[in-house]
Structure formats: structure tokens, C-alpha cells
Amino acid sequence: MKRLSLCFFILLIASGFCFAGTRYTELTLPTEMQNKEIEDVHVIDSSNIWIVGDGGTVARSTDGQNFTYVDLGFSDAANWRLYSVRFVNDKVGFIVGKYQTTLSRIFKTTDGGTTWSVARTLVSGDIRNVRVRDSNTIFVTNKNYAVGRPGLYKSTDGGANWEGVSSITTGCRKMRWANTSVGWVVGDSGYISKTSDGGSNWSTQTLSDTSGDVQGLTTRGRYRSWVTNYGGGKASLQTTSDGGTTWTAVNTSTSANVEYNGVRLKDNTTGQLWGKNTSAVASISDISDAGSTVTEAWSSSVASSRINDGDFSDDENGWFVGGASSSGILLKRVVDPAITAIVQRERPSQSSVPVGFSGDILIKGGIFLKNPTVSIAGTGITVNETVWENPTQIRLNVTVASSAATGSREVTVQNWDVGIVTSEALTISALPTITSLGQTVLERGYTATLATNPVTVEGTGFGTGFTRDLISFGDGITVLRVLRVSETKLHVALHVASDAATGLKTVSVTNPDGGVAAKSNAVEVVVNTGGPTFSDVGFDGRIYQATWNSEDNRFILTRKPTLLATVEDTAGIDITLFKLFIIPVGTAISADTTYIDIPVSSWVTQETASAGGTTITTKGYISYKFQEDIPAGLSRIILYGQNISKSPSLYTAFIKVPSATAVARALRRRVIFGYRNGRYWRNGDGDLPFMVENDGGTEIPITITTYNIAMEPITITRTLKVGRNKLLFPAARLRRFANGNKLMVIKSGTRVIDTGIMSVFN
């Protein structure tokens, strides 16, 4: 077979521009077809393709690349010129052609092309084209019209019986369906006719240029069609966007050598046009600007050759056939594939694989043809298997050595038609490591939260996208939540079951991409000894002393309170882990809640004990002077601590800071309470004394309501004289309260005139 040359790429460089990634490559025809002109190609998909041509020749491909000759099984097949082939499904197909000048036949297969039989013979006919409307309705065109031999035949029973469409009284060449209702048929002398009811009725339309025979036809929807015709010394490309009511010639060649044999639309403005060029040789051109621009993309060097037909498996991949009397042409339009992502098959959100990985990865993209060649740059990664799954996905089974270099890798996919793409969409990642844990002893029943006491895991290479199932602390320990603080730190919320087996446990971290780190004997589960207990929690002296700054127009605390609390735990107290939360009443602690680390300098040890040869602190007190600004209004203070076994305890108290609107009276009217003989009031001391100043000039009745932590009220009534009033809160009423700070509200009628905090210790 003669080699076809002058490829698309060279032509475009010569013309000064380039459509990157698109070119044409010649495929090898079966020996029986190499010196025959090929008339038609039918692309079922990118793998299954049929072609027919002169001499009764037929070939098929099951991979889109290699074609095998198919013998129709007729002794006189060499005398046939086969024009068209179409399949209804994977079993049923039709081929039409002409025997010399005496008759035409419709051939049919019901076994996928293995055997063929004659479905209809048309004496003196010239059947050129077969088109399938649905599985039962098939049409063929007849170029050699005569009375009693119309230009169109149809079958409504899958090709068993055929009848002529009597309204088509012109020889027809091509037919196309836009859908099962709308279709067009074209033929000699500028003829075109349309049906809108599935082929029952036809109406003739008028082209803008009726010179020559209409050779090509394509449709894009029920309203938009393009046709090609040539003859009379010119060729034209014509379009309609209104269903054929009007047609417009968008491109015309006045060269007698040019043939426009066919056209295909990718969208409403671009596509391909084929036939002969001005040098009278086979040519394929790209259409742009809705047909006004036609740029030659490929041409042959074989004299008098032409491209007869083209068909596509998708928007980009197409096959073209043609030739001359002694030379066949079979071309593949080559478009480089695209890689959009490379992910793990079992972890589709992960585009990286860790060292030591063995499994499947998926290359996602487009224009992947069967039997691609895939390679990955660099050493340490082996491709064990390549499986083409569909035009948008290739599956690779790979093994990554534990010594493989980390970082991005180039992945190259090359289709059999030499379309190629390279991408750095794959990353090899290092395994994570665990270097230490912030907490190595966990008691049964212990709960760690992200907000108050997370277990810290430190190491390297922690990826993003962690979920709780990716971290394990062993049997009996449930991971509740995990927060990736950084590449080197994780915070873990967990719960240790009350019956968890005691002893050492292995902690493992699995990165979202599958890389695993494990640290044996990382934590120990021990019997619960309970957390530390808090008592005598309160504030020294007045809660606040305030001045009004008129320049800044704000209330300033000039003396911030000191928090006092006694802490005890016979198992030993970890004095480094005390925290203080200040949050508005009614607000819960969350992972975003900020806290104060109470410094060790605020701790005073009172009692110690000996345990295992070491001295442990069993009792002491905290005296922490606030350095932080406390929000105006009523706040909840939560004191948090742990014993040396990491068992936590919480204690809740209240503190109130006046708002700016209360400043006008805050400096003149104060509630002072909680003292007796220079110390806090306790049960057994008698009634609780407190002082309230009345600067209103007259006596007023008041109600005094005190709330416990559950906001349950206890109310007494009193009368305030003018000036300072020393009042007593009945001790019997106070004994209903648990230890801690209690909110006090003083009202005159319904008007709140002051609030305060009192401390109760039982």
C-alpha cells in the first residue's frame, strides 16, 4: 500500500498556527482492501468499527486500531461496490451496495457480522446509504430513481420486508436522523427532503445553492443541519438553524477540483469537512466560525484520491475512509488524551500513595483509547497491570517500594494512535511517624475532649482529612474526634471503657492516603482512681473595684480578683495541668473555647505523700490573680484539673463584672458580702452578713433573691434605710445550697437595683 504523507501537524506550522494535540495517523488496511477505495466507516464505539469498500470488501476492528477482513460468503462479492454499513445493535447489522450496473442488494447479519444473507435485491437500483431509525425501522437510499423504483426504501420489521417510499421521486444519496421523528434525505441536483413524523410523510426543501449533487449531510438536533454539495464547477457548505425552512451557503469553493463529500459537527460552530482539495487529492479540513472558516488539516499525496466518509466515537476521536481506484485510505484523527486526576481506587479522595503502597490507582481524564501504554517516571514504583476501563478512566495496579523517593511523579498515558499526555498528578508520600503522646496513662472510664483535655499525638507527616476511624488506641478505647493541628500534631478526643483491659496499648495513626505509623506500648490503661476534688472555691475580697474613664468612655477594673480553691487527691495531683475557662452563662465549652493555663507559681502545696519511692502532692490550694480582662456581665468560671493518672475534675463558679450602664451607680452602691471576722462565711457561722448602701434619700422595700448553680431561687424581703444597711441572709436558707459562688439579685419592685456574687462553703 502506498504511504500517505503530509500530515496535519506539518501543514499547520506552514500556515502559521497550530491546533495543539490534534493530528492524523494512517492505519493499516487488511491486504484485501489496500488497493480498493473505501466507501464508508461505521464507528459503534472507540473499539468496534466497520468499514466497507470496492470489490465487496468488508473489515472490522475490535480495538479501533487493527482491522480484520470479513468475507461476506458470496462467490461474486468481488464484483460488488459496497457503499454503506450500519449496525442496529451488537448482533444485527446491514450493508448495502451495487453489483456492476444491474442491481443493488441489502445484506443483513444477525450474529454480529460472522455470517451475512441477502435481505433485499433491487434490480437496476443503486442503493447508497443505510440508516437506522430504531431497532425495527431501517431506511436505505436509492440513487437510481425510476418510476416504480423510488429514491427511498424502508423496513418496519427489522429488515425482513422492504417497501418503497413513493413520495421520494428523486435519486437519493444520504440520509440522517436527528431523532426518531425528524430526519432528512438528500440526493442529486440539489435535492433535499425532510420528515417530521418518522418517515411517513416527506416535504421537499430548497437549498440556497442547488448546483450539483448533495453528497454530505449531518444533523445537530431537530433544527440545525449542514449539507455539502458539489458539481457545476463549485462546491458549497450550507446550513440551517430553523429546521430547513431556510438554508444558507456559508462556504463556497469555485475550484472544479474541490469536492465536499461529507461534513460532521462537533458543536454549532466547529467540525470537520472532507472530500477533495484544490489539488484534486483527498483532504480533511477543520470548520470554525460556523462554517465561514475552513482550514485544511490533512491531505493525501495520492492523485485523484478522496475522503468518502468519516465517523466519530466522541467529540474528538474520528475515523476517515476513502482512497482512489487503486489505493485505500484509512485514517484516525488523533487527539491527545487528558489527565484530570490520579487517585487511589479504595480512597478516591486521595491523589497520593505512601511508600510501601501496593494496590490500584485510577487515572481519570478523557480520550483514553483501549490498550493504552502507561508509564510512571522515576524508580521505586512498578506498574504491575494496566486496565482500560472506559474512555475516561484507566486502572493501574502499582507497587511502591519502601525506599521510593517521595514527591510528585510524571505519569504518561499514550494511546495506540500515539495521542499522548504527561501529568504530575501523582504524589508519593512519606509514612507518618509517632514520636510522643502528651498523655501516656489513661484510667478506665476516662474521657478526653478536644475542648478541655485532648490527648496530644506528636510526630511527622500527618496528612489532611483525618477522621476518627484513622486513629487507634487499642481495644477498649474509642476515638471520638480528631483534630489535625499541624503536620506534626494531632489532638484526639477519646473515651476509655469502664471495663477496658488494663496494660500497655499500641497507638496507630493511618494517614488518609493509607500511610500507617504505629507506636507500641504508647499508653497504659489503669484502674480509675478518680479525679481531684475542689473545695473552698471563691474570690478574695470584693469581686471588683472600678473606676470610670471618661476619656475612653469605658469602665476599667482597677483591681482584678484572685481565685482561691483548695484541691485534694490521695492519688497525687498534677499541678501543671490546671486550666480556667471563662464563658458566658448558658454557653457550653467547645473545641474553640479559649482557656487560661494556671501557672505553677499560683500553686501552694499543703500535703504530700510517698508513692513508689517518689513524693506526690496530695493537697494544696490555688491562688490565681486574674491577669485577663473578664467580660462584662455574669460569667461562668470552670476550673479544670487532673491527678497524676490523668483523671480530670471540673468545678463551676460564677463571677460578675458590671457593664458600662451600671457604672453610674457602681461606685456609690456596692454589695459587700461573704466575710465574718476576716474570713469567708461558713455554715455554723450563723446568718450571712452583707451590706447594701441606699443613697436614694428615702426608705425602700426590696427583695433579695439568691440563685444556686441550677438557677433555683431563694428570696427574702427587707427594707433599706437611707445610707449603709447591714443585712443578714438566713443561714437555714443557705444550707440548701452546695458549695460555690451564688448569684444575688436585689430588686425594688420589678426594677433590678444591684447584683452581686456570694460564696457558700458547707
Side-chain angles (χ1 to χ4, degrees), residues 46-49 61-67 319 369-371 416:
S46 61
S47 299
N48 296 287
I49 301 166
S61 174
T62 57
D63 61 7
Q65 176 183 10
N66 301 291
F67 284 77
W319 286 254
L369 301 181
K370 273 189 175 180
N371 303 319
W416 59 258

Side-chain angles (χ1 to χ4, degrees), residues 186 421 560 659 670 675:
V186 296
V421 63
K560 294 179 179 177
S659 63
R670 290 188 294 271
Y675 280 95

Side-chain angles (χ1 to χ4, degrees), residues 108-281:
K108 179 180 179 181
T109 181
T110 58
D111 56 13
T114 302
T115 60
W116 295 81
S117 61
V118 177
R120 173 67 188 261
T121 298
L122 185 63
V123 177
S124 299
D126 189 357
I127 298 178
R128 291 297 183 99
N129 195 225
V130 56
R131 279 295 179 272
V132 176
R133 194 197 75 175
D134 54 50
S135 59
N136 292 317
T137 310
I138 298 96
F139 287 78
V140 297
T141 61
N142 172 35
K143 180 180 178 297
N144 193 12
Y145 165 79
V147 176
R149 191 172 62 238
L152 188 65
Y153 285 78
K154 76 172 181 177
S155 171
T156 58
D157 54 12
N161 297 283
W162 298 81
E163 62 180 357
V165 180
S166 59
S167 59
I168 305 299
T169 58
T170 300
C172 294
R173 294 175 178 267
K174 297 286 178 67
M175 182 183 186
R176 295 290 185 272
W177 288 100
N179 52 46
T180 57
S181 299
V182 177
W184 279 268
V185 64
V186 296
D188 295 345
S189 303
Y191 177 78
I192 183 168
S193 188
K194 177 185 177 182
T195 180
S196 297
D197 56 11
S200 298
N201 297 282
W202 295 82
S203 58
T204 302
Q205 296 181 338
T206 302
L207 298 176
S208 62
D209 183 353
T210 58
S211 59
D213 299 330
V214 183
Q215 302 284 344
L217 167 65
T218 190
T219 65
R220 185 174 176 82
R222 58 186 299 183
Y223 296 110
R224 189 176 298 275
S225 291
W226 294 35
V227 299
T228 62
N229 60 309
Y230 69 87
K234 65 177 181 177
S236 68
L237 173 64
Q238 303 181 58
T239 71
T240 181
S241 58
D242 57 12
T245 302
T246 57
W247 289 85
T248 303
V250 293
N251 194 285
T252 300
S253 172
T254 57
S255 171
N257 290 332
V258 172
E259 294 181 5
Y260 288 170
N261 285 329
V263 62
R264 170 257 180 182
L265 284 178
K266 175 183 176 181
D267 49 45
N268 291 338
T269 62
T270 63
Q272 282 70 44
L273 177 68
W274 56 84
K276 284 185 177 182
N277 62 12
T278 55
S279 299
V281 295

Side-chain angles (χ1 to χ4, degrees), residues 387-625:
V387 179
W388 177 92
E389 294 194 332
N390 56 60
T392 63
Q393 183 166 293
I394 300 170
R395 174 170 58 85
L396 300 184
N397 182 269
V398 301
T399 300
V400 182
S402 58
S403 59
T406 59
S408 61
R409 295 293 185 98
E410 286 189 347
V411 178
T412 300
V413 176
Q414 180 170 316
N415 286 331
W416 59 258
D417 65 357
V418 303
I420 190 170
V421 63
T422 298
S423 171
E424 291 187 348
L426 178 66
T427 300
I428 296 179
S429 62
L431 295 178
T433 64
I434 300 174
T435 57
S436 64
L437 278 79
Q439 196 163 326
T440 58
V441 178
L442 301 175
E443 289 187 337
R444 286 176 170 176
Y446 174 74
T447 298
T449 68
L450 293 184
T452 59
N453 56 325
V455 176
T456 299
V457 180
E458 295 190 345
T460 62
F462 297 144
T464 58
F466 267 98
T467 55
R468 65 180 185 176
D469 58 305
L470 296 178
I471 298 182
S472 171
F473 278 69
D475 293 339
I477 302 176
T478 302
V479 174
L480 306 174
R481 290 181 62 191
V482 59
L483 173 67
R484 180 185 184 268
V485 179
S486 67
E487 187 182 358
T488 61
K489 182 182 290 187
L490 302 174
H491 280 175
V492 181
L494 55 77
H495 174 72
V496 183
S498 60
D499 59 351
T502 59
L504 296 171
K505 305 283 186 178
T506 296
V507 175
S508 65
V509 173
T510 302
N511 265 344
D513 67 1
V516 179
K519 187 175 180 63
S520 59
N521 301 330
V523 295
E524 182 180 8
V525 174
V526 298
V527 175
N528 187 356
T529 61
T533 59
F534 294 91
S535 62
D536 295 350
V537 180
F539 304 95
D540 68 329
R542 296 202 304 264
I543 296 301
Y544 58 82
Q545 186 172 359
T547 60
W548 178 254
N549 188 322
S550 59
E551 293 182 0
D552 294 337
N553 195 33
R554 67 190 181 95
F555 185 64
I556 300 175
L557 290 177
T558 57
R559 181 179 182 276
K560 294 179 179 177
T562 297
L563 172 68
L564 302 172
T566 298
V567 186
E568 296 180 74
D569 196 311
T570 57
I573 302 167
D574 189 339
I575 64 175
T576 66
L577 293 177
F578 284 92
K579 298 180 175 65
L580 188 63
F581 296 82
I582 305 174
I583 59 176
V585 173
T587 302
I589 296 178
S590 70
D592 299 324
T593 304
T594 58
Y595 58 85
I596 302 165
D597 283 312
I598 298 178
V600 175
S601 59
S602 298
W603 173 263
V604 177
T605 299
Q606 293 177 304
E607 297 178 9
T608 61
S610 178
T614 62
T615 300
I616 60 174
T617 299
T618 58
K619 182 177 181 180
Y621 68 88
I622 294 170
S623 177
Y624 174 70
K625 185 175 180 61

Side-chain angles (χ1 to χ4, degrees), residues 64-141:
Q65 176 183 10
N66 301 291
F67 284 77
T68 303
Y69 184 73
V70 176
D71 188 349
L72 287 183
F74 300 102
S75 58
D76 60 348
N79 296 316
W80 286 85
R81 188 181 184 97
L82 302 179
Y83 286 112
S84 182
V85 55
R86 279 297 179 276
F87 272 74
V88 176
N89 51 46
D90 60 345
K91 297 294 184 182
V92 179
F94 297 88
I95 294 175
V96 299
K98 182 176 70 171
Y99 181 84
Q100 297 177 352
T101 60
T102 58
L103 54 85
S104 283
R105 278 180 178 166
I106 303 171
F107 300 94
K108 179 180 179 181
T109 181
T110 58
D111 56 13
T114 302
T115 60
W116 295 81
S117 61
V118 177
R120 173 67 188 261
T121 298
L122 185 63
V123 177
S124 299
D126 189 357
I127 298 178
R128 291 297 183 99
N129 195 225
V130 56
R131 279 295 179 272
V132 176
R133 194 197 75 175
D134 54 50
S135 59
N136 292 317
T137 310
I138 298 96
F139 287 78
V140 297
T141 61

